[in-house]
Amino acid sequence: MQVNWKGVYPAVSTQFHADESLNLNASQQMLDRLINEGVNGIIVCGTVGENCSMSAAEKRQVLAAAKEAVNGRVPLISGVAETTTALAAQYAKDAETIGIDGLMVLPGMVYRSAPHEAIHHLLQVAKNTALPVMVYNNPVSYSVDISLDSMEILAKQPNIVAVKESTEDTRRITELYNRFGNRFTVFSGVDDIALESLMLGATGWISGLTNVFPEESVAIYQLAAQGRYAEALEIWRWFLPLLRLDTIPTLVQCIKLAEQLAGRGSETVRAPRLALSGAERQRVISLFEQAMASRPDLRKFTL
């Protein structure tokens, strides 16, 4: 199975009303704006999208609303984050019925899987859909590394086509290419090492802070793709303090607060997450204000 997945794919937030109910209209407006600003794909129901804070029915509502808003303009991929393999397989079937373009599959939630269990889970989800599948490898958060040997087994499943590499070890990108050639499309999944990952051959970047500064994110990708690393680095150094927010436990609250400050969404999250307060809140506000005060003029870069 071949896919043409490349570029910057924001892992979008799910918008809620003040009472924490779904705000599908706001979510659709956010998606439309991101696409108009040049992003190359959309990831819904990921970590930033608070997948595990939604009911099964709500997740399907979010997918249907996203499908309507995206309207085939860019690839639309959904995270698959379920507590059991059976639930994940059913989600994959339902996502295919709704008509999205692909799945980003996480290991089973709550239970800390052994490597062979994670492989089983990923294979069963892939076998229950005709959609292309991206493996989400994030051992920092989910305590299981989808190693090169594990990817060797997964490579035998034709519709497992990509990997979101979030080990925080950029050597893994080269190791994937050395072992598998172009068998897998490789995405960087950690915001604060995205430029290094693109330089090493990652064909895409799945990002949280792109929700706040999409045009700058796309510019970094385009410049890196053209080998114009010195120019990409100029934007990167400006962006890095904000990008670090994607790597901490409160990343969802941080990103949604930054979205609100930018006039792009609401900071409302679902409990047990709570909106930031005190010094932590002020830190995000200060980082955002500093970024706005020194925001690069993208017109100087011919893209």
Side-chain angles (χ1 to χ4, degrees), residues 223-284:
L223 291 167
Q226 296 171 30
R228 296 161 62 185
Y229 298 121
E231 293 169 277
L233 188 59
E234 182 178 341
I235 307 171
W236 180 257
R237 286 176 172 165
W238 161 83
F239 206 0
L240 184 61
L242 274 172
L243 294 173
R244 300 301 295 270
L245 297 175
D246 186 63
T247 66
I248 60 178
T250 54
L251 79 161
V252 176
Q253 295 97 311
C254 290
I255 291 168
K256 293 188 89 169
L257 173 56
E259 283 184 289
Q260 179 169 289
L261 294 170
R264 306 182 66 92
S266 165
E267 70 171 317
T268 302
V269 290
R270 276 190 170 171
R273 288 187 178 92
L274 297 175
L276 300 180
S277 61
E280 191 172 21
R281 181 183 186 84
Q282 187 54 51
R283 175 171 173 262
V284 175

Side-chain angles (χ1 to χ4, degrees), residues 2 8 20 26 29 36 57 67 80 83 115 121 131 135 153 164 184 200 213 215 219 221-222 239 243 284 294:
Q2 299 294 318
V8 179
E20 299 186 18
Q29 291 177 3
N36 289 335
K67 169 69 175 176
V80 182
T83 55
H121 178 83
L131 291 175
V135 172
I153 298 169
K164 176 184 177 183
F184 298 108
L200 290 168
F213 290 107
E215 293 174 320
Y221 169 78
Q222 291 179 339
F239 206 0
L243 294 173
V284 175
S294 58

Side-chain angles (χ1 to χ4, degrees), residues 43-109:
I43 309 284
V44 294
C45 296
T47 302
V48 177
E50 297 178 72
N51 186 314
C52 293
S53 297
M54 292 187 286
S55 70
E58 287 176 323
K59 294 178 190 183
R60 275 71 172 175
Q61 287 179 278
V62 169
L63 288 189
K67 169 69 175 176
E68 181 179 63
V70 172
N71 195 28
R73 290 177 289 172
V74 297
L76 172 61
I77 299 172
S78 174
V80 182
E82 304 294 334
T83 55
T84 71
T85 301
L87 289 173
Q90 185 60 55
Y91 186 90
K93 293 176 183 177
D94 293 346
E96 183 176 350
T97 299
I98 290 168
I100 69 165
D101 301 304
L103 303 170
M104 181 181 74
V105 185
L106 286 71
M109 297 291 98

Side-chain angles (χ1 to χ4, degrees), residues 105-126:
V105 185
L106 286 71
M109 297 291 98
V110 183
Y111 177 69
R112 180 175 176 175
S113 301
H116 71 283
E117 293 172 320
I119 292 169
H120 176 81
H121 178 83
L122 293 163
L123 284 174
Q124 291 305 307
V125 175

Side-chain angles (χ1 to χ4, degrees), residues 12-30:
V12 300
S13 60
T14 301
Q15 294 297 297
F16 300 119
H17 293 289
D19 64 359
E20 299 186 18
S21 62
L22 288 178
N23 188 342
L24 296 176
N25 184 58
S27 291
Q28 288 184 314
Q29 291 177 3
M30 177 184 62

Side-chain angles (χ1 to χ4, degrees), residues 20 34 81 93 113 127 134 140 155 159 190 198 206 219 230 235 256-257 291:
E20 299 186 18
L34 286 166
K93 293 176 183 177
S113 301
K127 289 176 179 179
M134 177 189 300
V140 176
N159 64 326
V190 182
L198 293 170
I206 295 174
I235 307 171
K256 293 188 89 169
L257 173 56

